[in-house]
Amino acid sequence: MERFAAPDGRMLAYRDEGPAGADTLPVLCLAGLSRNSRDFDSLTAHLAPHRRVIRLDSRGRGQSDRATEPLHEYTIPTEVGDVLALIQHLKLGQVIIVGTSRGGILGLSIAAARPGLLAGLVLNDIGAVVEGRGLLRILATLGSQPGVATFEEAAAKLAAMNAAQFPGVPLSRWITHAHAVYVPDASGHPHLSYDHHLRAAAAAAFDMELPQIDLWPLFEAAMPLPMLLLRGANSDILSAETAAKMQRQHANLAWVEVANRGHVPFLDEPEAVAAIDDFLLGLKASQPSEG
């Protein structure tokens, strides 16, 4: 992995793969709240033979530096600044953002604030309303160590915890996922791949008594941008009602349901990969890259 300095000097890690050809727009992948660039391993393997793919470990995640002031650093404005700093560091023109959950919120924020910077936005199970019950479910386990000795045990625990939202996912897929969300500690046991202080920062950012978090103003500000919305059919973060309303209001938004997935799809599902391919091809034809 490579590293660059964020505006406050924090060193952040990223992966930069695939050809940097002028005929295709680069894809910038932004992961969810506690996730990292490994979330996009499969998608990158699919895209990188033909297109440049850049994946960021947001501060406090993966191989990026941890915060010294978590409540002030693990915030949407700070993380937006980090993404813009990476774009500047790599001297990119227009990019396409693939944003999973919190990464999608970062993408919406950048689209609203810097409309000429993005050529398109893929939102992976995040939309104009965040359902409070889903957020509470995430916060209930956020920051907790897996408490097992092997990655196989961690995978089995993940499979059990997510059985309702992700029915039929084989254990082999959960093992792959465990290696993406955990790292080995000094004894080789699975350990969190993110700063456990993220939980306090996330809880402080939202009113947990609200049934929903309203992101409609942010979505509406970003609506000039072509978008692809992927929704896990069993998601408790993005409702089908919200997705349908987003599609009605945004003439250039495609919406695809990913069967037998909750929050969030892995992005290796055939319907997700096909939708992303179609979306990228459309942008290539209509949104030439700016040098």
Side-chain angles (χ1 to χ4, degrees):
M1 293 188 76
E2 301 176 69
R3 290 163 70 84
F4 76 103
D8 61 359
R10 199 74 63 223
M11 296 303 296
L12 307 183
Y14 68 96
R15 304 172 192 265
D16 188 354
E17 299 156 276
D23 58 334
T24 59
L25 293 158
V27 173
L28 174 57
C29 298
L30 305 176
L33 175 62
S34 63
R35 310 276 272 267
N36 60 73
S37 58
R38 293 290 309 278
D39 257 14
F40 304 98
D41 281 355
S42 177
L43 183 63
T44 300
H46 174 73
L47 294 178
H50 312 290
R51 183 183 297 267
R52 186 179 185 183
V53 181
I54 301 148
R55 299 183 273 162
L56 175 66
D57 279 357
S58 293
R59 63 175 62 214
R61 292 82 155 180
Q63 297 185 40
S64 289
D65 286 356
R66 276 35 180 168
T68 56
E69 298 183 70
L71 294 183
H72 299 290
E73 294 186 49
Y74 298 142
T75 65
I76 295 296
T78 298
E79 292 171 22
V80 164
D82 292 342
V83 176
L84 294 175
L86 174 59
I87 291 172
Q88 182 177 27
H89 171 74
L90 294 175
K91 298 180 173 59
L92 302 175
Q94 278 192 311
V95 301
I96 303 160
I97 285 182
V98 176
T100 291
S101 194
R102 186 181 180 95
I105 298 175
L106 298 179
L108 285 170
S109 301
I110 293 168
R114 300 279 299 276
L117 192 59
L118 303 189
L121 175 60
V122 178
L123 298 172
N124 184 22
D125 210 64
I126 194 70
V129 174
V130 178
E131 298 296 328
R133 63 188 178 92
L135 188 56
L136 287 173
R137 176 187 57 80
I138 291 169
L139 288 176
T141 58
L142 191 67
S144 301
Q145 295 292 350
V148 295
T150 69
F151 279 85
E152 289 73 17
E153 290 177 285
K157 191 171 182 178
L158 287 168
M161 289 171 54
N162 293 283
Q165 287 197 14
F166 291 78
V169 175
L171 183 61
S172 59
R173 185 62 185 83
W174 288 115
I175 291 173
T176 298
H177 186 63
H179 282 281
V181 298
Y182 301 128
V183 294
D185 64 13
S187 301
H189 300 159
H191 190 274
L192 293 178
S193 62
Y194 62 90
D195 186 349
H196 70 278
H197 291 106
L198 274 169
R199 187 193 186 285
F206 303 112
D207 185 345
M208 293 296 103
E209 295 185 2
L210 292 176
Q212 297 175 325
I213 298 170
D214 184 359
L215 299 179
W216 278 109
L218 193 61
F219 174 71
E220 289 167 356
M223 282 205 321
L225 195 68
M227 295 186 199
L228 168 63
L229 178 64
L230 301 171
R231 178 181 178 270
N234 301 325
S235 177
D236 59 1
I237 287 289
L238 173 62
S239 71
E241 292 76 15
T242 295
K245 185 176 178 181
M246 290 169 67
Q247 189 177 49
R248 288 195 302 270
Q249 294 201 11
H250 190 336
N252 200 6
L253 180 145
W255 167 27
V256 173
E257 291 266 315
V258 184
N260 297 319
R261 296 292 184 266
H263 186 78
V264 290
F266 296 120
L267 299 185
D268 61 0
E269 302 85 359
E271 61 266 50
V273 173
I276 291 171
D277 280 346
D278 287 347
F279 183 70
L280 295 181
L281 285 173
L283 293 176
K284 178 182 177 182
S286 61
Q287 299 285 340
S289 179
E290 294 179 356

